[in-house]
Amino acid sequence: MLLLSLQIFAILVQEASSNDNGLAQTPPMGWRSWNQYFGDVDQLLMEQTMEGMVDRGRFDHTNQPISLCDLGYCDVGLDDNWQECGSPEAAPGMNYHDINGNPIVNRKRIPDLRQMTDYAHSFNLTAGWYGNNCICKDLCRNETECKMQIKADVKAFVGYGFDSWKLDGCG
């Protein structure tokens, strides 16, 4: 039995592999807007948070100035409520996707998503986006509609300059 267990273990160890590309050497470390602001987030709050993440007004144990990003917390994520829930531009049956599947941004809260991600990048921070919004869900009604929304969401994600995408199960 012990020999069989060792043989199975040896096979499993041989099958395990990883992609050694330098990415994901640690879990994502940073800050998400939901944890502090819930749905009451806007671009100014996001940009002020970015400034706080790189601010070296803290000191380490040797009394050297240090930022949260210096400690590895370099991702700032825009969570739920960036979208314009119930937009008049939304497709029939949708809350924040137009008839072409494009996500509709609440410009009162987030006037310029691309400028916001560029601001994060100017501090060498990465910018994360929330993809399956829980405050105003859009559930596609058929496979064609789903594919159209997914493609448009990915195009928006790239166009706005985001680096990571959070998906969850809404609690």
Side-chain angles (χ1 to χ4, degrees), residues 32-145:
R32 301 290 308 184
S33 63
W34 188 259
N35 299 326
Q36 184 166 358
Y37 301 117
F38 300 99
D40 196 26
V41 65
D42 61 37
Q43 187 163 342
L44 179 62
L45 290 172
M46 291 297 296
E47 291 176 354
Q48 289 172 338
T49 300
M50 293 170 195
E51 293 165 5
M53 291 178 74
V54 297
D55 178 62
R56 288 198 168 103
R58 302 163 193 85
F59 297 90
D60 69 8
H61 66 284
T62 64
N63 210 30
Q64 296 298 307
I66 194 165
S67 73
L68 291 171
C69 189
D70 292 333
L71 296 171
Y73 296 91
C74 299
D75 183 67
V76 60
L78 175 62
D79 230 303
D80 210 347
N81 215 22
W82 56 262
Q83 69 279 22
E84 186 178 343
C85 297
S87 172
E89 299 171 28
M94 296 290 112
N95 284 302
Y96 70 96
H97 282 93
D98 68 18
I99 59 169
N100 297 312
N102 298 305
I104 303 168
V105 177
N106 184 332
R107 300 288 178 200
K108 291 177 186 163
R109 289 185 173 277
I110 315 289
D112 190 336
L113 270 176
R114 182 61 200 221
Q115 187 277 326
M116 189 186 78
T117 59
D118 287 346
Y119 196 66
H121 296 148
S122 74
F123 293 118
N124 291 318
L125 298 170
T126 55
W129 199 22
Y130 189 54
N132 61 326
N133 302 290
C134 300
I135 288 178
C136 65
K137 297 178 188 176
D138 269 356
L139 303 174
C140 43
R141 297 167 291 201
N142 56 58
E143 186 176 346
T144 302
E145 190 174 78

